[in-house]
Amino acid sequence: MADNDQVKPLAAAHHLRSDYEDHEAMSAQSDLRRKKLYIQCCGCLTVLLLIPVVVFIVLFTTVCHVKNPGMRMNSVSIQRQLEVVDGDQNITLLVDVQMKNPNYASFKFINATSVVYYDGVAVGEGRIPAGMAKARRTLRMNVTVDIVPAKVLMVQKLRSDNMNSETWSLSSYTRIIGKVKMLKIIKKNVVVVLNCSFTYNVSSQAIQDSCTQRVKL
Ligand SMILES: *[C@@H]1O[C@H](CO)[C@@H](O)[C@H](O)[C@H]1NC(C)=O
Ligand SMILES: *[C@@H]1O[C@H](CO)[C@@H](O)[C@H](O)[C@H]1NC(C)=O
Ligand SMILES: *[C@@H]1O[C@H](CO)[C@@H](O)[C@H](O)[C@H]1NC(C)=O
Ligand SMILES: *[C@@H]1O[C@H](CO)[C@@H](O)[C@H](O)[C@H]1NC(C)=O
Ligand SMILES: *[C@@H]1O[C@H](CO)[C@@H](O)[C@H](O)[C@H]1NC(C)=O
């Protein structure tokens, strides 16, 4: 009996101890598991927090990066022909221009003038109304340009060497000032300069052109 009595508490104690050890081991294991979970959670949270940051950076560098709008002259035609070159009448050109906006925001520009030169002297002009090229769109405009033949003839008279020349070498200078505005935060001024040279054949009243462009952001 006594032996038994002694054994039982021991066994119980042993049982208790092993229970305690088991518990300790288990709690250590769960601690480890918790730590792992914690690390995983931290990793997940970091990734979740990083996603918008990365998205923002990517958006900021691609979408919000302001690119050069491109201006081009598609065609030039003579809208009104002249009976005689020395009259008061203007030579009216119909110029088809396009403004290509590669940005994810609209490009707004103010009204501008195109000045036509003959031998460095202004002999005509065209008015470009204020406008807007929508985001990633191309705006096409018809611009009328008036050339005053009397002014060309006056220049020719001053420089008698090229009097009554069969063709006129004209050049035009167009400067468009605008703004690319994005999310009300980013505003960028853009200046587009388009220089063109024209050759006007007086007898056939035909016109040929070529242009060079420069953009300043
Ligand atoms: C723009 O339009 C205004 C008002 O019509 C005018 O005063 C101004 O001279 C124009 N600017 C250009 C560059 O044509
Ligand atoms: C000819 O063009 C000029 C602008 O270059 C303009 O001031 C003038 O009124 C025009 N004349 C006619 C008859 O259209
Ligand atoms: C420009 O003029 C041409 C010929 O008159 C016409 O066919 C075209 O639709 C016009 N374009 C714009 C944008 O007004
Ligand atoms: C101008 O046009 C006339 C008539 O079409 C042509 O005979 C002449 O060769 C042209 N001149 C130039 C410089 O192209
Ligand atoms: C356009 O012409 C102006 C003056 O006529 C000149 O200062 C400028 O450098 C030219 N730009 C280009 C791109 O040819």
Side-chain angles (χ1 to χ4, degrees):
M1 268 304 268
D3 270 7
N4 261 354
D5 269 1
Q6 256 183 354
V7 165
K8 255 185 192 166
L10 258 170
H14 178 76
H15 200 72
L16 259 169
R17 248 184 87 184
S18 88
D19 246 16
Y20 178 72
E21 271 173 359
D22 273 0
H23 185 75
E24 208 175 31
M26 258 167 67
S27 82
Q29 224 170 12
S30 79
D31 258 8
L32 204 74
R33 217 177 296 149
R34 216 176 295 148
K35 233 176 240 171
K36 250 188 211 166
L37 209 69
Y38 178 73
I39 289 168
Q40 273 174 355
C41 252
C42 264
C44 273
L45 221 78
T46 310
V47 168
L48 280 178
L49 285 175
L50 270 176
I51 287 170
V53 173
V54 169
V55 166
F56 182 76
I57 291 170
V58 167
L59 279 180
F60 202 80
T61 51
T62 59
V63 174
C64 298
H65 177 68
V66 176
K67 296 188 199 100
N68 293 351
M71 195 185 180
R72 210 175 74 185
M73 196 163 75
N74 290 318
S75 69
V76 183
S77 52
I78 294 177
Q79 201 179 38
R80 197 170 59 215
Q81 305 235 330
L82 297 174
E83 309 281 301
V84 272
V85 166
D86 57 355
D88 286 336
Q89 272 193 313
N90 287 344
I91 298 171
T92 306
L93 306 179
L94 186 69
V95 186
D96 177 353
V97 266
Q98 71 170 48
M99 184 70 84
K100 190 178 176 185
N101 180 16
N103 295 294
Y104 287 92
S106 55
F107 170 57
K108 272 186 195 167
F109 52 88
I110 59 168
N111 62 331
T113 41
S114 248
V115 184
V116 180
Y117 297 95
Y118 176 79
D119 212 355
V121 179
V123 295
E125 64 171 35
R127 290 186 189 282
I128 298 169
M132 183 185 78
K134 286 184 189 151
R136 299 183 68 73
R137 289 282 185 277
T138 299
L139 173 73
R140 274 183 90 147
M141 303 176 275
N142 277 337
V143 177
T144 54
V145 177
D146 278 330
I147 294 167
V148 186
K151 287 189 179 170
V152 177
L153 295 176
M154 216 162 74
V155 175
Q156 285 187 339
K157 212 178 259 174
L158 285 170
R159 301 161 174 68
S160 51
D161 50 314
N162 52 8
M163 185 85 170
N164 294 324
S165 61
E166 205 176 285
T167 56
W168 297 349
S169 292
L170 303 163
S171 63
S172 76
Y173 174 76
T174 309
R175 187 159 159 264
I176 302 252
I177 299 168
K179 225 174 237 178
V180 174
K181 220 190 268 185
M182 228 171 280
L183 308 167
K184 290 182 180 171
I185 318 166
I186 300 158
K187 275 184 223 168
K188 207 144 201 183
N189 293 326
V190 179
V191 179
V192 184
V193 173
L194 186 70
N195 283 356
C196 299
S197 47
F198 304 91
T199 307
Y200 177 69
N201 185 329
V202 180
S203 57
S204 71
Q205 299 196 347
I207 200 149
Q208 278 185 322
D209 68 277
S210 69
C211 301
T212 55
Q213 191 209 211
R214 192 188 55 199
V215 183
K216 211 160 70 185
L217 287 177

